Amino acid sequence: MRDNPAADVEKLPQPRSGDIEVYSPEEVWALVRAAGSEQDAVIYLTAAFTGLRRGELVALRWRDVDFAGSTIRVRASYAGDAVTTPKSGKVRSVPLAPEVASALAKLADRDRWTGDDDLVFVGVLGSYLDGSALRRRFDVAVKEAGIRPLRFHDLRHTFGTRMIAKADIRRVQEWMGHADVQTTMKYLHYAPRPDDARLVAEAFRVREVSVSSQEHRT
């Protein structure tokens, strides 16, 4: 009997204290190595390196992967047995890092399901992946890797926190498909600013008074 279709719907992040839990690059690679299959390894890597939502990964087709242009075009999302537009309602482009490009190219060497209209990450007989089953396999891989038990969605947060330290906020907003820049701004707290401590110190620095000037006043 098939799982409840509602189980495939990506759950909205639960309200928390404001903290975002993310993986380090070393933890991402540990997760990839612990994956139960080559396809799962590639989907974990792609999720962390592109910030695509789970439904967007499930809906990704080979025509959306532009190896020559080093870009992934996010055109659709899949959840609850339905294909929709991305959450923002707009098609967007995301950079295709060399590591992801290599992993996807290797995945494209499989015997079938490699045409432009075929799904990149396939389920039974080339159909859409079961989102709830993917989540369960992710949890198993997390345990195998010996890393913190975060959510699949936190791979997206991992991308956001890593990229906000390297790119301007508008670009990160575009890559992640946020309709409101305020959503992207939550990642700013995770951007390292090594000069901030120096700026505070300079702001509160007391100007030294010379001994000679003190003697003159007396």
Side-chain angles (χ1 to χ4, degrees):
M1 184 176 180
R2 195 185 189 284
D3 291 343
N4 182 351
D8 288 343
V9 178
E10 185 172 355
K11 296 179 181 178
L12 293 175
Q14 295 299 311
R16 291 190 274 183
S17 64
D19 277 346
I20 296 172
E21 303 240 28
V22 300
Y23 285 127
S24 67
E26 293 80 9
E27 288 174 315
V28 170
W29 284 110
L31 175 66
V32 170
R33 291 191 296 269
S37 69
E38 179 185 8
Q39 177 169 277
D40 279 355
V42 179
I43 201 170
Y44 302 155
L45 184 67
T46 305
F49 277 52
T50 66
L52 267 65
R53 301 176 178 91
R54 190 181 66 192
E56 294 168 345
L57 291 161
V58 172
L60 191 67
R61 297 184 183 276
W62 286 114
R63 66 168 178 262
D64 303 324
V65 182
D66 182 358
F67 288 104
S70 298
T71 299
I72 289 179
R73 293 185 178 85
V74 186
R75 306 175 190 269
S77 183
Y78 179 86
D81 291 333
V83 179
T84 63
T85 59
K87 189 175 179 180
S88 65
K90 299 178 181 178
V91 174
R92 70 182 191 277
S93 294
V94 180
L96 178 61
E99 295 88 345
V100 181
S102 296
L104 287 171
K106 187 176 179 182
L107 191 64
D109 282 338
R110 63 193 179 200
D111 295 334
R112 52 182 177 168
W113 320 123
T114 59
D116 285 349
D117 291 331
D118 288 324
L119 295 166
V120 173
F121 305 112
V122 295
V124 179
L125 299 177
S127 62
Y128 291 102
L129 278 176
D130 183 322
S132 58
L134 173 63
R135 185 171 59 246
R136 290 193 295 270
R137 294 197 302 275
F138 169 80
D139 291 341
V140 171
V142 165
K143 290 180 181 178
E144 287 291 323
I147 58 179
R148 291 166 296 141
L150 304 186
R151 306 166 302 163
F152 188 96
H153 189 78
D154 290 319
L155 293 175
R156 173 172 165 82
H157 289 323
T158 296
F159 175 80
T161 57
R162 301 300 298 182
M163 295 318 304
I164 203 69
K166 299 293 184 181
D168 64 84
I169 192 169
R170 288 294 181 182
R171 265 197 290 182
V172 177
Q173 178 190 8
E174 179 184 340
W175 293 341
M176 298 195 73
H178 290 152
D180 189 339
V181 73
Q182 294 296 324
T183 305
T184 316
M185 287 181 69
K186 65 187 177 184
Y187 296 118
L188 286 174
H189 300 294
Y190 297 85
R193 296 187 178 92
D195 286 341
D196 284 2
R198 178 183 57 79
L199 292 174
V200 173
E202 289 179 358
F204 284 88
R205 182 170 294 138
V206 177
R207 296 180 61 184
E208 295 182 1
V209 179
S210 67
V211 175
S212 59
S213 62
Q214 288 180 333
E215 291 176 346
H216 179 74
R217 286 199 297 270
T218 59

